[in-house]
Amino acid sequence: MAHQTLQTLYISELKDLYSAEHQLVKALPKIVKAVESEELSDAIANHLEETKNQVSRLEQIFENLGENPKGKKCVGMQGILEEGSETIDEFEGSVLDAGVISAAQRVEHYEIAAYGSVCAYAELLQRTDDLGLLKETLEEEKSADEKLTQISETINQAALQMSSQEDAEVGRQPAGKAANRSRKTRTAA
């Protein structure tokens, strides 16, 4: 078994975060293009820039540690992003935007947990320079989550209204068409 210390765990967790942030840098531009809300699109685009800065901070930490940041794939982030991609494929309009917010908040909560842990490790290992950089990122992740919650209040209401309008339209269709649509929905499930 490998030599197990808090230092080796710390480096392993940082590599996981490095992979996660790189996956986000690749995924966020697609999400920006997919959403309908300009406010949501702008918030995600702004977080993309923050994410690029977070990658730079992690690279600085790895340089200070004399370690290579590569070599680990964050399968947790990969899974969260795959679920988010399914949302983009399955929904549209304000309902899509509501789903994207949900997926984005899963990303933020995952990162908040991970950065909280490495902050604790950095503090115990007396890596004060690292700790400052990691806390800066942790605060950005918390802020991004709060911004998504704020935006969701409007988006979720719009999604509800869109759903209500679609339900009303189905109710106005001749019985054959409404029944036909119901059958399609059931078979798709």
Side-chain angles (χ1 to χ4, degrees):
M1 196 175 271
H3 185 63
Q4 297 176 345
T5 66
L6 186 60
Q7 177 81 10
T8 56
L9 176 62
Y10 176 60
I11 292 168
S12 177
E13 293 290 313
L14 289 171
K15 286 183 178 193
D16 197 66
L17 278 166
Y18 186 76
S19 170
E21 297 293 11
H22 268 281
Q23 290 178 54
L24 281 171
V25 168
K26 289 180 182 176
L28 289 176
K30 177 183 175 186
I31 298 167
V32 167
K33 290 177 186 173
V35 298
E36 182 178 273
S37 163
E38 189 173 331
E39 182 181 17
L40 180 56
S41 178
D42 289 347
I44 295 168
N46 288 338
H47 195 59
L48 171 59
E49 294 309 310
E50 280 183 341
T51 302
K52 290 175 182 177
N53 289 333
Q54 293 164 1
V55 168
S56 295
R57 283 187 210 119
L58 287 169
E59 288 171 345
Q60 184 178 344
I61 291 169
F62 279 106
E63 188 176 315
N64 292 344
L65 288 164
E67 294 282 341
N68 181 349
K70 297 179 181 167
K72 187 166 187 176
K73 176 133 186 161
C74 180
V75 294
M77 185 60 72
Q78 181 181 7
I80 294 170
L81 292 174
E82 285 173 4
E83 284 184 359
S85 183
E86 289 173 7
T87 300
I88 290 171
D89 293 340
E90 294 175 17
F91 297 95
E92 59 186 29
S94 54
V95 176
L96 165 67
D97 289 357
V100 165
I101 290 171
S102 175
Q105 287 193 291
R106 285 187 196 113
V107 167
E108 295 309 324
H109 290 207
Y110 183 87
E111 289 183 306
I112 289 167
Y115 278 104
S117 293
V118 292
C119 282
Y121 303 156
E123 188 170 359
L124 288 169
L125 294 167
Q126 300 178 357
R127 307 251 348 140
T128 53
D129 291 343
D130 297 359
L131 183 59
L133 295 169
L134 293 168
K135 280 186 173 182
E136 188 175 350
T137 297
L138 179 58
E139 290 308 311
E140 288 172 352
E141 302 300 4
K142 288 178 180 178
S143 179
D145 181 54
E146 289 171 12
K147 179 72 173 171
L148 288 166
T149 296
Q150 177 189 23
I151 294 170
S152 76
E153 293 171 8
T154 307
I155 299 291
N156 291 345
Q157 192 63 41
L160 176 64
Q161 290 173 350
M162 184 175 154
S163 297
S164 296
Q165 288 171 351
E166 283 188 13
D167 289 345
E169 288 173 13
V170 169
R172 285 193 296 252
Q173 291 179 357
K177 287 185 179 180
N180 198 12
R181 182 176 174 142
S182 291
R183 265 187 253 118
K184 286 182 185 175
T185 302
R186 271 186 291 207
T187 58

